[in-house]
Amino acid sequence: SKLDGRGTFRFFEPAMDARMQARRQLELDMRHALARREFQLHYQPQMSLASNRLVGCEALIRWRHPERGTVSPLDFIPLAEEIGLIVPIGEWVIRQTCRDAMRWPQPLSVAVNVSPAQFKSDRLVETIVSALSNSGLPAGRLEVEITEGVLLQENDRTLQTLHRLRELGVRVSMDDFGTGYSSLSYLRSFPFDKIKIDRSFVQDMSHKPDGEAIIRAIAGLGKSLGMTTVAEGVETPDQIERIRAEGCTDVQGYLISKPLPADELMTLLAPR
Ligand code: C2E
Ligand code: CA
Ligand code: CA
Ligand code: CA
């Protein structure tokens, strides 16, 4: 540490600088990542508990950074949101997802995550319309997953966008259900097609006494509102049996499959 010009200690500054520097570098790199084709999509299958068959996949972005290796979306999506890059990146996700899904040997549904800044951009509906028509993917196979963040500053336009997607035939899922403050009230403002129960509830189920009660309540809510309920982050056979018993309709998690690169998913889906 040293005294700066104003006589105050600047003890934390070097570490702060290093962090700022790293962030700025990540931002610079991200600005080139699309053109350099460093993004990749992985697809994680979802299984219906009624049929034990795969019914859909969720597209999850990966960034293969030339020096850092694979960067988790948790580490770059928030920054992309902040600096507006999420719009072009999200647009790439939607177009690539539609193209990939058209090549699958089974007509599974495919879900894309749309973050708040992307949802608010006026290009979203246009992008989806053009991605569907360019790829030939039927709108009914595409799902848009949004989190509470999208509805946090809910206004006429947010609802209008949701309704326009619905009119196109695109389905809308509420992601990470139960983790926010007002998940329930959002179900009242918009009729979602699907509720995705956050992984934390599935994990709690095994070691908290009331864990199952929460899953049961959400599954029941979904059933009475006519919504599909997907339990996320299912990792053990024990969890899947409990989830089945509580009445969820679908599951997603490492037990079924990890997110897979497009070609590995094709192998998994190929008729044997
Ligand atoms: P999410 O939408 O809640 O996605 C589920 C996350 O849980 C994924 O992490 C997935 O790999 C992970 N997961 C799935 N099954 C299991 C399991 O059994 N156990 C455990 N421990 N984890 C499991 P991932 O791929 O790292 O993505 C993290 C988050 O990044 C996503 O959370 C989503 O919010 C965001 N994200 C990913 N791709 C995109 C994208 O294309 N656009 C936007 N806007 N956000 C994305
Ligand atoms: Ca999601
Ligand atoms: Ca989720
Ligand atoms: Ca999440």
Side-chain angles (χ1 to χ4, degrees):
S1 66
K2 64 171 172 32
L3 278 171
D4 71 9
R6 284 162 304 180
T8 49
F9 275 101
R10 301 185 55 185
F11 189 68
F12 296 106
E13 290 265 316
M16 280 262 266
D17 279 354
R19 233 179 305 143
M20 289 293 286
Q21 190 62 38
R23 196 190 123 107
R24 217 169 297 142
Q25 189 58 51
L26 194 67
E27 184 179 326
L28 276 174
D29 292 347
M30 207 180 348
R31 292 193 185 279
H32 299 293
L34 261 184
R36 294 178 182 159
R37 299 171 177 268
E38 290 169 0
F39 292 118
Q40 194 188 15
L41 290 176
H42 283 198
Y43 294 94
Q44 187 175 36
Q46 300 169 335
M47 189 185 86
S48 154
L49 287 173
S51 65
N52 282 344
R53 285 172 184 275
L54 300 188
V55 286
C57 291
E58 176 178 5
L60 295 157
I61 196 169
R62 301 288 178 262
W63 178 8
R64 291 166 53 166
H65 191 283
E67 287 118 39
R68 295 175 193 233
T70 302
V71 185
S72 159
L74 296 173
D75 294 326
F76 70 89
I77 293 288
L79 181 58
E81 276 255 302
E82 217 173 292
I83 62 179
L85 268 183
I86 193 67
V87 174
I89 294 173
E91 192 164 328
W92 175 81
V93 169
I94 292 168
R95 293 186 186 283
Q96 189 63 41
T97 295
C98 292
R99 279 196 296 264
D100 284 347
M102 272 306 280
R103 297 173 47 231
W104 298 346
Q106 304 163 34
L108 306 186
S109 66
V110 67
V112 290
N113 291 283
V114 173
S115 63
Q118 187 188 359
F119 196 86
K120 279 192 211 94
S121 93
D122 30 287
R123 273 156 61 180
L124 181 68
V125 175
E126 264 177 77
T127 300
I128 288 178
V129 168
S130 108
L132 289 172
S133 84
N134 290 345
S135 64
L137 187 77
R141 285 181 58 194
L142 184 66
E143 278 172 28
V144 165
E145 294 191 3
I146 60 170
T147 55
E148 190 175 287
V150 166
L151 297 165
L152 220 50
Q153 308 139 339
E154 173 197 311
N155 53 32
D156 287 351
R157 242 196 55 185
T158 317
L159 291 179
Q160 196 189 6
T161 303
L162 286 169
H163 285 290
R164 282 178 70 196
L165 292 176
R166 172 63 57 74
E167 279 158 23
L168 286 173
V170 172
R171 278 176 292 172
V172 187
S173 305
M174 166 130 241
D175 204 357
D176 302 347
F177 186 82
T179 56
Y181 292 106
S182 358
S183 301
L184 276 181
S185 71
Y186 295 132
L187 293 185
R188 198 173 46 186
S189 14
F190 182 77
F192 289 87
D193 298 282
K194 198 183 253 192
I195 299 173
K196 299 193 75 179
I197 305 172
D198 193 70
R199 182 168 89 225
S200 57
F201 296 110
V202 174
Q203 277 160 353
D204 283 356
M205 199 172 56
S206 321
H207 43 259
K208 286 199 185 157
D210 296 332
E212 276 173 299
I214 306 259
I215 306 260
R216 188 181 315 144
I218 303 177
L221 184 72
K223 194 171 183 184
S224 44
L225 295 174
M227 298 174 186
T228 303
T229 43
V230 189
E232 290 194 280
V234 176
E235 294 179 352
T236 68
D238 173 62
Q239 285 170 339
I240 212 170
E241 284 327 311
R242 288 166 187 240
I243 285 162
R244 190 190 295 278
E246 301 309 348
C248 285
T249 57
D250 298 359
V251 285
Q252 180 179 349
Y254 294 165
L255 183 68
I256 315 302
S257 167
K258 293 210 164 189
L260 302 170
D263 54 338
E264 285 179 40
L265 179 72
M266 290 287 275
T267 308
L268 181 79
L269 297 181
R272 263 161 295 176

